[in-house]
Each structure stands twice: as structure tokens, then as C-alpha cells.
Amino acid sequence: MEKVTLTDAELLLLGLVAEMPRHGYELEQAIEARGMREWTQIGFSSIYFVLGKLQKAGLVSVEVPDGIKARKVVSITDLGHDVLIEQTIAALQEYRPTFSSVLLGMVHWPAISRDQALEALNARLSSIDDEVERLESLRRLRQPMPDHIEVLFDYTDGQLAAERNWIHTTIDYMRSKP
């Protein structure tokens, strides 16, 4: 089998179709109900485009029951199932760097005054606190959640805590410089 690399959106939809055959609107409902946009960027309008790519790659098949074109039902193929397993394992075991806008802000720190930069980092702290609160509220609303979903929230909490710690350390360091 030729190595296939899926985008995050493709892997998300392939996994949802693997659970059971679905049409596009059902996929949107599952994404929304499970809060999956917290971890993957996919808009409603992108779902059909991504499904078309998966179909072209032979990873899903599309049936039109009773000739109702609006109700195209998407199912995973054997190849799609093999790729889903391979890509899920790769996603779990391989580190892939992500790039935060804060890195660009730090690169361009000299373009603004120290006070502006420190104020911006303090505002980012406030933004992180708001996000932690929003996620905790979302987490409470979605209880009970399966363990594999619960740990997604834990992962995000850990990232936010690490960024909060980094910001505090950076602010202290930058304030101590002459």
C-alpha cells in the first residue's frame, strides 16, 4: 500500500465515517455535538470538499439511496480502514510541531516598546485564563465523556498551563533586563 498522509480534517472525517455510514449533515452534527472543533479546524462548508478528496483517494465510497442526491451516504472502504488505523497510530506516536502566533510576536519584540510588549503578554495571560474558563465550562456541559475525550481536555489544559507559566517567566525575565 502506498503511504497516504491525511490532513487533520481528512483523518477526522474518515474516523467518523468508520464509526458508521453517514451523510454530510450527520457528520456536521457529530462534530458539533462532540466539540471536535476544539481540536481540529473544519468548517461545515469544508466537509463535502474533504469527503470528495477521500472518495477520490478510494478511502470512502458514496451511495445515493433512492436517488436522493442530497442524502449521499458515505461509508469507509477497506483501504480507508487500513489508512485510518495507520494514520491514527502515527498521530499518537509522532510529534508534530505547531506554531503559535506568540512566536512571531516574540521575534518582532524589538518593533514595539517594552511596555507595549509586556502589556501584550499580560493581555495574553488574560486571554488564556478566559480560554481555561471556557473549556472548563464546556467540559462540565459535556459530562459524562468517554475517557479518550476527557484526556483531550486534559491535554489542552496542560498546554495552557505551560503557556501561562512561560509567559510569567518571560515577563519576569524581560522586566529584570535594563
Side-chain angles (χ1 to χ4, degrees), residues 5-17:
T5 302
L6 300 176
T7 66
D8 291 346
E10 290 166 345
L11 182 57
L12 174 73
L13 291 182
L14 189 61
L16 289 173
V17 170

Side-chain angles (χ1 to χ4, degrees), residues 49 62-63 65 76 84 138 148 151 157 160 164 175 177:
F49 173 75
V62 177
E63 295 178 32
I76 194 165
L84 174 64
L138 189 62
H148 69 282
V151 297
D157 284 344
L160 292 169
R164 184 186 292 124
R175 279 196 175 127
K177 302 303 271 183

Side-chain angles (χ1 to χ4, degrees), residues 128-138 140 164:
I128 288 172
D129 290 341
D130 291 345
E131 181 64 3
V132 167
E133 190 175 305
R134 186 187 74 79
L135 286 173
E136 191 53 41
S137 174
L138 189 62
R140 282 191 305 271
R164 184 186 292 124

Side-chain angles (χ1 to χ4, degrees), residues 9-28 46-65 68-78 80-81:
E10 290 166 345
L11 182 57
L12 174 73
L13 291 182
L14 189 61
L16 289 173
V17 170
E19 291 175 0
M20 63 188 235
R22 291 185 158 109
H23 56 80
Y25 184 70
E26 288 172 320
L27 289 166
E28 167 62 18
S46 302
I47 290 174
Y48 293 98
F49 173 75
V50 172
L51 288 174
K53 287 176 62 179
L54 293 173
Q55 183 182 14
K56 189 179 259 186
L59 305 178
V60 299
S61 61
V62 177
E63 295 178 32
V64 182
I68 303 172
K69 194 173 181 181
R71 286 288 184 175
K72 292 180 183 177
V73 177
V74 182
S75 302
I76 194 165
T77 63
D78 289 340
H81 189 262

Side-chain angles (χ1 to χ4, degrees), residues 100-112:
S100 170
S101 63
V102 75
L103 301 176
L104 286 172
M106 291 306 296
V107 165
H108 299 298
W109 180 285
I112 59 179

Side-chain angles (χ1 to χ4, degrees), residues 1-5 81-91:
M1 173 175 72
E2 181 182 322
K3 173 107 169 115
V4 176
T5 302
H81 189 262
D82 292 344
V83 168
L84 174 64
I85 290 170
E86 176 187 300
Q87 293 289 295
T88 298
I89 291 170

